[in-house]
Amino acid sequence: MAGHSKWANIQHRKGRQDAARSKLFSKLSKEITVAAKMGDPDPDKNPRLRLAVKEAKSQSVPKDVIDRAIKKSQAGEGDDYEEIRYEGYGPGGVAVIVEAMTDNRNRTASNVRSTFTKAGGNLGETGSVGFMFDRKGEIVYPADVGDADTVMMAAIEAGAEDVESSEDGHVIFCADTDLNEVSNALEAELGESESTKLIWKPTTTTELDLDGMQKLMKLIDALEDDDDVQRVTANFEASDEVMDQL
């Protein structure tokens, strides 16, 4: 999973945060609308909506934007969206999972396929790379919330499966079905998390050199720029030397 924190750091360093903020807000709003549509519009009674709202807040989405997204679900918006997962291989044989939410399946499939092809990858069938990932809950806390032992004990008490602590912070993993319960228990113990969401956690990784990383970043950037794409996950690994050169 080291690749993931590294990827977040690259995006931060490149200053993509501001450029992509409005796009990110719109993707998080879409998730809130669909979650509210599929269940209760009250986050306390709808675990998926609660997690979507929590993730939006962690990305500094304003309260009025969140409220508007929930109201949209009651106004009949979000009816046409369906969730689709695409799987394929990027440059260097890296496995890539693309999660999309779309009101036009043909448009999204065509865009995702052409993005893979242009980047030197190829889109596969559903299941073609999914076996290389586990569906997990991921809860992230800053490093200053406590030392590794403190966080590990809190995580065990909360029912989590694993913790990875580094100078960048603490990443806590749990079963996907336990995310709501575990995050609530951790919040009572450690306070508000930086991020709480469902992820695809690679069970095997592919090492990339500098050229491979640059090509993969181009693919992921292009995929994330698509309005229909919610999240992109890749099972890359790269050395600190390679990361420093990006």
Side-chain angles (χ1 to χ4, degrees), residues 66 87 91 110 112 154 201 235 238 246:
I66 292 171
E87 300 180 20
S110 167
V112 169
K201 186 183 183 194
N235 72 340
L246 288 167

Side-chain angles (χ1 to χ4, degrees), residues 50-71:
R50 184 180 178 282
L51 292 170
V53 168
K54 197 169 182 182
E55 185 62 18
K57 283 180 177 169
S58 77
Q59 298 291 343
S60 308
V61 176
K63 186 175 184 304
D64 63 317
V65 173
I66 292 171
D67 291 343
R68 204 157 54 236
I70 293 173
K71 283 198 184 91

Side-chain angles (χ1 to χ4, degrees), residues 123-158:
L123 193 59
E125 298 294 318
T126 301
S128 58
V129 305
F131 66 92
M132 291 187 245
F133 298 80
D134 285 334
R135 191 64 162 159
K136 294 289 178 190
E138 179 195 76
I139 303 153
V140 180
Y141 276 94
D144 60 13
V145 83
D147 61 26
D149 288 343
T150 304
V151 174
M152 176 65 83
M153 286 311 296
I156 291 168
E157 289 287 317

Side-chain angles (χ1 to χ4, degrees), residues 196-211:
T196 299
K197 59 188 173 186
L198 287 167
I199 59 150
W200 292 98
K201 186 183 183 194
T203 53
T204 169
T205 55
T206 299
E207 179 88 23
L208 290 179
D209 59 13
L210 180 59
D211 181 56

Side-chain angles (χ1 to χ4, degrees), residues 21-31 227 230:
R21 188 150 292 277
S22 64
K23 202 173 272 284
L24 177 66
F25 279 14
S26 120
K27 290 181 185 198
L28 291 166
S29 296
K30 194 194 281 188
E31 166 65 23
D227 289 338
Q230 292 292 98

Side-chain angles (χ1 to χ4, degrees), residues 108-126:
T108 310
S110 167
N111 289 348
V112 169
R113 186 179 300 283
S114 88
T115 302
F116 267 92
T117 305
K118 281 178 193 160
N122 62 289
L123 193 59
E125 298 294 318
T126 301

